[in-house]
Amino acid sequence: MYAQLVDTGVTKVRSAEDMSDDERSFQQRIDEGIRIESKDWMPDAYRRTLVRQISQHAHSEIVGQLPEGNWVTRAPTLERKAVLLAKIQDEAGHGLYLYSAAETLGVSRDQMLADLHSGKAKYSSIFNYPTLNWADIGAIGWLVDGSAIINQVPLCRCSYGPYARAMVRVCKEESFHQRQGYDILLKLCNGTPEQKQMAQDALNRWWWPALMMFGPSDADSLHSAQSAQWRIKLFSNDALRQKMVDQTVPQAEFLGLSIPDPDLKWNDERGHYDFGAIDWDEFYNVIQGNGPCNRERLGARVKAWQDGAWFRDALVAHADKQSAAHPAERQVA
Ligand code: FAQ
């Protein structure tokens, strides 16, 4: 079943003439802004695209806990530690809502995890970079959660009901995450020259990977055109990336930090910042599994899954024992 749900290659856009009657009425519902629910008829490719995107999004939330988890024991104060723990727990919650949303499409959580562990399913490129100092935790909140919000707020209005509803709460929590990151950097930037330098160093290392989070440029994006037609994507990768730059530059100025891009310049005519070329070789290298921390991140997830086997077995044994002891109740349930 899952093999049929996994997307491979370019998602082709179907013209009205190529569509069956079912597809045409499905597209019409989307065009009218009517939400699609799990029991509604949907084209196989729509289902596959959603399984791909939602499961990869869920994996990103779970793998995304690792770079920050690295700093729980070294947070500088008890308060910072409590806030960081709460944030990391929120990310686990986001992963769980998203796995549940993907399950409504007919794929099991075990299957999605097997694909993550085998390296078949992707997770966001950004989580393959290391967190070298405390300022990196600030940069993740400010830039990574900041980018996640820009990407995810439109998803609250996407065409698939369970995904859109899951994103509402996720976005509220991401907004708190972004503020906690900015607050860490504000403190460092108002501290000693060494602390300010730590903040600048973190910005230097996280800026370009954060811009890459939005995916390939529109010209190279494989799935954007079809996802836009289905209202899974409401804005293009490049449009969201531009929004991130426009929003973040004044925030960097307020911190007194410099964006590491000599080509960054306000363009009066466009009403946007122009910015330098992204190193797409680096992006593709990372998403192909060769970033600085890919092996470590995946290894940690596989180990966690293996270490938890006894607990999953115990739950199943307990459930079997319960149903043997109370077969009637089990039937009613
Ligand atoms: N990393 O044709 P497109 C977070 C892949 S959550 C890795 O443009 P699409 C919260 C893409 O999958 C961050 N792979 O693809 C947090 C496709 O390959 P495939 C995650 C990437 O799907 C904060 C290929 O490139 N957010 O940060 C990336 O239309 C702090 C071609 O690309 C989401 O997942 C990438 N950056 O657009 C947690 C949001 N970009 O699948 C902890 C939902 C592209 O054919 C701490 N997802 N690829 O093998 C989306 O909006 C979309 O899926 C995009 C990609 C925009 C990411």
Side-chain angles (χ1 to χ4, degrees), residues 97-108:
Y97 314 150
L98 287 161
Y99 284 129
S100 298
E103 281 171 324
T104 65
L105 292 155
V107 58
S108 77

Side-chain angles (χ1 to χ4, degrees), residues 52-53 56-57 60-61 64 68 87 91 122-125 127 140 144-145 148 151-152 155 163 174 212-216 221-224 233 237 283 287:
R52 178 184 61 78
Q53 177 166 326
Q56 293 187 164
H57 192 167
S60 304
E61 301 282 357
E68 292 174 296
K87 177 188 191 298
E91 308 299 2
K122 293 188 171 71
Y123 57 86
S124 183
S125 50
F127 302 118
I140 290 182
V144 177
D145 287 280
N151 170 277
Q152 289 168 195
L155 289 174
Y163 192 24
E174 298 293 18
M212 292 174 198
M213 279 179 75
F214 295 91
S221 169
L222 300 177
H223 309 293
S224 282
K233 274 187 168 175
N237 297 359
F283 170 76
I287 70 170

Side-chain angles (χ1 to χ4, degrees), residues 15-33:
S15 65
E17 299 82 68
D18 294 339
M19 289 180 190
S20 65
D21 290 347
D22 278 343
E23 282 175 287
R24 254 191 300 276
S25 56
F26 172 83
Q27 187 62 50
Q28 197 178 340
R29 288 186 65 190
I30 298 219
D31 295 344
E32 286 168 9

Side-chain angles (χ1 to χ4, degrees), residues 2 6 51 54-63 65 92 95-96 98-100 102-103 107-123 298 300-306 308 312:
Y2 189 48
V6 175
V51 168
I54 302 173
S55 65
Q56 293 187 164
H57 192 167
H59 299 327
S60 304
E61 301 282 357
I62 299 298
V63 177
Q65 297 177 101
L96 298 185
L98 287 161
Y99 284 129
S100 298
E103 281 171 324
V107 58
S108 77
R109 198 170 298 200
D110 281 357
Q111 287 165 328
M112 289 184 268
L113 289 175
D115 270 4
L116 171 68
H117 299 157
S118 70
K120 190 165 156 198
K122 293 188 171 71
Y123 57 86
L298 206 52
R301 288 312 313 154
V302 170
K303 183 175 183 306
W305 177 254
Q306 287 166 349
R312 292 191 301 278

Side-chain angles (χ1 to χ4, degrees), residues 90 94 97 168-178:
D90 285 351
H94 299 174
Y97 314 150
V168 173
R169 179 156 170 191
V170 170
C171 286
K172 285 187 182 153
E173 292 176 351
E174 298 293 18
S175 167
F176 148 68
H177 297 170
Q178 190 201 17

Side-chain angles (χ1 to χ4, degrees), residues 142 182 186 207 242-257 259 264 266 273:
W142 175 36
Y182 197 72
L186 204 51
W207 175 253
Q242 181 71 60
K243 195 164 192 247
M244 189 276 195
V245 174
D246 291 348
Q247 177 179 299
T248 311
V249 173
Q251 295 171 351
E253 281 166 2
F254 187 78
L255 291 172
L257 297 178
I259 303 276
L264 185 82
W266 177 254
Y273 281 94

